[in-house]
């Protein structure tokens, strides 16, 4: 399409309803034909952020912020908010999702997608995927609402969900089979 109808390809790639997962899958083509396509600000910012994240050059986020901090924040929200649906696509993609969540909560103090981040953790746990970085960033917010959000999974029909929720909230079954909170004994 880029070769046959450059304008249509540009309109499609810049569609406001485009999800990050689609942009990510098209990255090789975008890099190949980038000079032909005229990416909108959000997509161009997303590509720069992805390059910084995957290049493990977090210090360069400041350079990207200098151009437009609000645009970067809005773009990160878009990446996580639309990209979560394709979580598990591959390890690199999951790393981008994790790093985006971490940047949002640590650098921007944005807690608006915490619930979504918790859902990602539980979805990954079901498939035995990596959860530690994302989970760490969630707890680093020190937001008590996180405990409420995790507690939704206590009575899940999925055993892995309820086991993880119990582990994260330190719930243990009582002797009569009912759930009760218990503070772990210190070993020291």
């Amino acid at each position: 399409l880029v070769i046959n109808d450059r304008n249509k390809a540009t309109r499609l790639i810049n569609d406001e309803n485009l999800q990050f997962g689609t942009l990510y899958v098209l990255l090789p083509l975008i890099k190949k034909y980038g000079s032909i396509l005229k990416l909108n600000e959000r997509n161009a910012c997303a590509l720069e952020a992805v390059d910084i994240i995957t290049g493990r050059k977090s210090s360069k986020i400041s350079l990207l912020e200098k151009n437009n901090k609000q645009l970067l924040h809005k773009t990160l929200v878009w990446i996580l908010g639309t990209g979560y649906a394709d979580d598990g696509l591959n390890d690199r993609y999951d790393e981008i999702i994790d790093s985006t969540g971490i940047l949002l909560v640590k650098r921007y103090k944005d807690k608006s997608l915490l619930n979504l981040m918790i859902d990602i953790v539980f979805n990954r746990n079901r498939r035995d995927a990596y959860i530690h970085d994302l989970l760490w960033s969630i707890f680093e917010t020190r937001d008590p609402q996180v405990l409420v959000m995790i507690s939704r999974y206590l009575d899940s029909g999925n055993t892995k969900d309820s086991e993880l929720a119990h582990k994260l909230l330190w719930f243990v079954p009582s002797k009569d089979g009912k759930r009760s909170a218990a503070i772990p004994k210190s070993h020291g």
Side-chain angles (χ1 to χ4, degrees):
L1 189 59
V2 171
I3 294 167
N4 296 329
D5 192 345
R6 173 184 340 170
N7 291 332
K8 185 174 182 180
T10 299
R11 274 193 319 275
L12 289 173
I13 199 75
N14 289 325
D15 188 283
E16 70 178 58
N17 295 316
L18 181 80
Q19 295 192 348
F20 175 70
T22 303
L23 186 72
Y24 176 81
V25 170
L26 294 173
L27 277 176
L29 290 173
I30 292 169
K31 288 183 181 197
K32 182 176 180 179
Y33 296 107
S35 60
I36 295 172
L37 292 170
K38 292 182 177 43
L39 297 177
N40 62 20
E41 281 185 319
R42 178 199 67 197
N43 292 344
C45 183
L47 293 182
E48 286 183 69
V50 165
D51 284 344
I52 290 169
I53 289 168
T54 57
R56 289 182 170 74
K57 297 176 182 169
S58 59
S59 60
K60 292 197 175 186
I61 286 291
S62 297
L63 295 174
L64 188 55
E65 280 180 330
K66 283 184 182 180
N67 292 336
N68 191 335
K69 189 172 184 173
Q70 283 184 310
L71 174 63
L72 179 58
H73 179 241
K74 185 178 173 183
T75 300
L76 293 172
V77 168
W78 172 75
I79 289 171
L80 186 59
T82 66
Y84 80 94
D86 297 304
D87 188 65
L89 190 62
N90 60 40
D91 289 344
R92 183 174 182 232
Y93 186 84
D94 289 356
E95 177 187 340
I96 293 166
I97 294 297
D98 288 358
S99 297
T100 300
I102 291 166
L103 282 168
L104 284 170
V105 298
K106 294 295 287 174
R107 192 172 192 105
Y108 288 93
K109 309 298 185 218
D110 184 341
K111 300 177 185 179
S112 65
L113 295 176
L114 275 176
N115 202 31
L116 180 67
M117 292 168 65
I118 289 169
D119 288 345
I120 292 170
V121 165
F122 279 87
N123 286 333
R124 284 185 186 175
N125 186 62
R126 285 182 209 129
R127 60 179 204 270
D128 297 320
Y130 186 73
I131 63 172
H132 302 293
D133 289 344
L134 199 55
L135 194 55
W136 170 82
S137 68
I138 290 166
F139 280 120
E140 277 289 304
T141 65
R142 292 179 171 80
D143 186 334
Q145 281 303 114
V146 166
L147 302 175
V148 174
M149 293 175 201
I150 291 171
S151 72
R152 295 176 309 158
Y153 288 94
L154 286 170
D155 291 326
S156 171
N158 185 303
T159 306
K160 283 189 164 200
D161 287 352
S162 59
E163 286 175 356
L164 180 60
H166 279 84
K167 182 178 178 181
L168 295 175
L169 299 173
W170 292 99
F171 276 86
V172 294
S174 65
K175 291 182 181 178
D176 63 3
K178 294 181 181 176
R179 293 188 178 118
S180 64
I183 298 171
K185 295 179 182 175
S186 63
H187 299 289

